[in-house]
Amino acid sequence: MSHQPQQIVAAQRSQRLRAAADTEFDLLIVGGGITGAGVALEASRRGLRVLLLEGEDYAAGTSSRSSKLIHGGLRYLAKGDVELVRKTARERKAVHRIAPHLAASRRMVLPAQSRGRWLTLRAAVSAYERLGQVERRDKHENWRTRDLARVEPLFNTERFPFAIAYREYLTDDARLVVANVRAAAGHGAVILNRTRVTGLVRSSGSPSAPIIGAQVTDTLTGERFVARAKLVVNAAGPWVEDLLKMEAPQKPSMLTLTKGVHVVLPRERLPVHYMWVVSAPDNRPIFIVPRGEVVYVGTTDTEHHDNACVWPGITRNEVEYLLAAIPGQFKVDPLTPADAVSAWAGLRALVAQPGKRPSEISRSEEIVTGPGGLITVAGGKLTGYRAVAKSVVDLCGKRVAVNKAAKEEAPLPGGDFGGSATELGKALAARRALDSQQADRLAHLYGSEADQVLALGEQRLHPASPLLDGEVRWALASEDAQGLEDLIYRRSRVALYTVNGLLALDGAAKLMAEALGWDEARVAAECVKVRARFAEDLTLGEGPSLIGKEAYDVTFS
């Protein structure tokens, strides 16, 4: 079964469901986040018959709630995790090569209060660049007061007279997942969202018999079927232990879940030009990232004990903790939770290390094989997803025939262009007579496919929202969007990256209804669901105070 990347469409869903039920696959992957999507692409590139099942939507969990950075984790260098930094720092260039629109080069700035701290940071960044094999033209710059006053006028140079500006990469995590899923389909993988695994299938009635498939429910129709495969990979992120307990109910927990919160502000309230690493009141490093008309600040890192919720709650104290990092570092009016235009929270599934605080737990992945042959992937970083995928498929190669020489790694969908996405956006603006902000947005979301998106429609669905009718049609025809939440949160990203994210909701719902056959009741339910989700993220409970909860010895200021 062979597809071109753009052919994962809603009209093919019934065909894909039949294929999932009727085919014996080499590899069944449970989980459609970045790990599962990466494994699906790597395995299909290397000749395996692949089925990927995602219970919600692609990237609905952790993989749409990150800090949206392809970075090597400079702070882990200070913790001595050199190998993790080396691997992920080098992966930055690889992701940029295959998806330059989804790994856009940006300057990240580390401020320093003293010359001594500045020199220490310079040494650390230099080591980081050596580990990452950074080319000369991308090496860091050393900024003093006069440089900072010129490039970032709102920065408090009286308190921080020095800074290091080095290269990192800004991504869109959910769209990176969708791009990998589409590329896997282009190599013949069968990909399905809204298909929940409810049990594992063994080769015999023995509880120790090999696992040869899974019991599946299509949550859109209620249809149940059995998916069969020689190998099953558990890439369910925070929910990997749900599958592990299906294999071995008595297996002890292997994960620690931590929650990360980000808060989104209008760019006019914090008009910064660069990405920054600043220190929270307890010295924990957090990111400030400008993106279009907004700036987001994050993230927290606290233990979380409930993996049942796909959308972890956000408290007022978590938002206040993040905003407390800004006064004294930037000369702006005081910020409060009322300034937030959106927010998101995600769960990190980290391999448990008893006795360690959340910030101390390694982000390295672990790949284990259970008594029934279930291959489970836990931990890992967004940046290193390709390397994790290769390790998983290499392990699979010990049990099924895998081509050692994979097909050449082509750019991900939308990534086949030269230069930067910013340059692509400028050309798009000139060619299509778009305003520069909209063209830049489209270039970074869709890359070289932006023209195809625009060919489906250039009409804004609301004067104050950037969402175009062509984006809705593209999400339906090419990216397997099954619900309004899929479109608003994970395809177009307007819920997170725009000040007026939901103004286009009714127009988008109407277009989706026409394509998917929704009646008026379904349209109303879809709109209510998204509005309630958005409101809940901004209806902040009090929660425990985070200030002083941990004392961090890793600081960048």
Side-chain angles (χ1 to χ4, degrees):
M1 184 171 187
S2 177
H3 301 287
Q4 294 300 315
Q6 67 269 26
Q7 291 180 319
I8 307 179
V9 296
Q12 293 176 333
R13 183 173 177 81
S14 61
Q15 298 171 24
R16 286 181 278 143
L17 284 167
R18 285 198 300 273
D22 296 344
T23 307
E24 182 186 24
F25 294 88
D26 296 313
L27 195 63
L28 164 59
I29 302 162
V30 182
I34 191 61
T35 299
V39 173
L41 175 54
E42 180 66 16
S44 59
R45 284 179 61 239
R46 291 168 67 175
L48 296 184
R49 292 172 296 173
V50 174
L51 171 64
L52 181 145
L53 300 175
E54 163 56 44
E56 299 288 336
D57 181 33
Y58 314 119
T62 304
S63 293
S64 61
R65 322 284 180 78
S66 74
S67 295
K68 311 187 191 319
L69 297 170
I70 299 295
H71 69 119
L74 178 59
R75 74 186 181 97
Y76 303 119
L77 191 59
K79 298 175 181 292
D81 204 341
V82 175
E83 183 58 21
L84 173 65
V85 174
R86 185 190 67 80
K87 290 192 298 184
T88 53
R90 294 184 183 185
E91 276 296 299
R92 297 177 305 165
K93 292 196 298 184
V95 179
H96 177 70
R97 184 183 69 251
I98 61 175
H101 59 308
L102 298 176
S105 178
R106 293 286 188 273
R107 286 286 183 187
M108 180 76 79
V109 186
L110 303 173
Q113 287 181 295
S114 67
R115 181 179 294 274
R117 181 61 180 165
W118 189 41
L119 294 174
T120 299
L121 286 175
R122 287 170 62 176
V125 170
S126 294
Y128 179 67
E129 290 172 338
R130 287 194 297 272
L131 287 170
Q133 298 178 332
V134 173
E135 297 175 11
R136 181 181 296 275
R137 66 174 183 271
D138 288 331
K139 291 291 181 68
H140 69 273
E141 296 178 1
N142 302 308
W143 290 350
R144 301 172 186 264
T145 300
R146 63 180 178 274
D147 304 307
L148 287 163
R150 173 176 52 83
V151 301
E152 202 72 274
L154 292 178
F155 187 66
N156 187 349
T157 55
E158 293 180 4
R159 184 178 175 192
F160 300 96
F162 307 100
I164 307 291
Y166 68 105
R167 289 288 179 186
E168 289 290 16
Y169 295 86
L170 180 63
T171 191
D172 185 297
D173 46 9
R175 293 204 58 80
L176 184 63
V177 172
V178 170
N180 275 270
V181 162
R182 293 176 63 210
H187 288 291
V190 177
I191 311 290
L192 284 161
N193 56 5
R194 312 293 178 186
T195 46
R196 185 161 296 155
V197 170
T198 58
L200 296 175
V201 177
R202 296 181 183 270
S203 60
S204 70
S206 169
S208 60
I211 293 169
I212 58 168
Q215 298 165 350
V216 186
T217 298
D218 175 10
T219 62
L220 295 180
T221 65
E223 178 186 347
R224 297 179 181 179
F225 62 94
V226 172
R228 298 188 178 277
K230 296 174 183 176
L231 296 175
V232 178
V233 170
N234 175 10
W239 301 277
V240 296
E241 291 193 325
D242 293 349
L243 216 60
L244 283 171
K245 291 185 185 304
M246 295 179 190
E247 180 190 37
Q250 305 306 316
K251 184 177 177 61
S253 174
M254 67 178 292
L255 294 183
T256 292
L257 296 184
T258 72
K259 183 174 73 167
V261 172
H262 293 79
V263 59
V264 183
L265 305 166
R267 188 79 169 265
E268 62 189 25
R269 290 293 283 116
L270 185 57
V272 296
H273 302 292
Y274 292 89
M275 303 192 303
W276 287 81
V277 184
V278 299
S279 292
D282 56 1
N283 283 337
R284 186 178 187 278
I286 62 173
F287 297 116
I288 296 175
V289 181
R291 182 156 197 152
E293 61 187 44
V294 301
V295 175
Y296 60 84
V297 183
T299 178
T300 60
D301 196 1
T302 55
E303 286 193 40
H304 189 80
H305 301 286
D306 178 17
N307 77 337
C309 59
V310 177
W311 295 82
I314 300 171
T315 71
R316 174 174 294 274
N317 285 327
E318 287 168 328
V319 173
E320 289 177 341
Y321 166 84
L322 294 172
L323 297 181
I326 297 170
Q329 303 194 58
F330 293 91
K331 295 174 282 188
V332 296
D333 292 336
L335 292 160
T336 71
D339 290 305
V341 294
S342 63
W344 70 82
L347 300 180
R348 308 176 189 89
L350 306 178
V351 179
Q353 293 178 282
K356 289 194 173 184
R357 299 174 302 193
S359 64
E360 295 176 326
I361 299 174
S362 173
R363 269 51 177 174
S364 295
E365 74 281 354
E366 186 168 330
I367 304 169
V368 297
T369 302
L374 179 69
I375 299 172
T376 294
V377 191
K381 287 169 56 64
L382 173 68
T383 304
Y385 83 90
R386 291 170 63 261
V388 172
K390 289 176 182 177
S391 296
V392 171
V393 177
D394 285 345
L395 179 61
C396 293
K398 297 179 179 179
R399 295 163 60 186
V400 296
V402 174
N403 293 338
K404 293 184 178 179
K407 295 180 181 178
E408 183 179 355
E409 187 174 29
L412 294 177
D416 55 343
F417 62 93
S420 70
T422 298
E423 294 167 346
L424 184 70
K426 291 178 180 177
L428 189 67
R431 189 166 61 251
R432 290 278 186 171
L434 296 171
D435 69 77
S436 60
Q437 190 172 50
Q438 177 74 302
D440 187 71
R441 171 183 169 272
L442 294 170
H444 281 90
L445 289 180
Y446 304 103
S448 62
E449 294 182 322
D451 276 308
Q452 296 177 55
V453 174
L454 289 166
L456 297 177
E458 299 185 29
Q459 182 69 40
R460 287 179 184 254
L461 294 178
H462 188 281
S465 170
L467 185 62
L468 305 178
D469 56 350
E471 292 182 80
V472 182
R473 295 186 179 102
W474 179 262
L476 290 164
S478 303
E479 296 179 346
D480 213 14
Q482 299 293 334
L484 194 56
E485 178 190 293
D486 303 351
L487 169 74
I488 298 297
Y489 274 93
R490 290 178 292 277
R491 302 303 189 278
S492 70
R493 309 297 265 166
V494 293
L496 303 184
Y497 298 159
T498 65
V499 173
N500 298 305
L502 299 194
L503 292 180
L505 202 61
D506 293 328
K510 182 179 179 180
L511 287 175
M512 295 191 77
E514 293 171 358
L516 298 176
W518 294 347
D519 58 18
E520 291 184 5
R522 175 67 184 274
V523 170
E526 290 283 330
C527 290
V528 166
K529 177 183 177 182
V530 173
R531 286 193 171 98
R533 163 56 44 216
F534 193 83
E536 185 174 334
D537 283 341
L538 289 176
T539 304
L540 309 173
E542 290 302 319
S545 174
L546 301 187
I547 306 299
K549 184 172 183 178
E550 290 194 50
Y552 290 86
D553 55 7
V554 178
T555 176
F556 291 114
S557 61

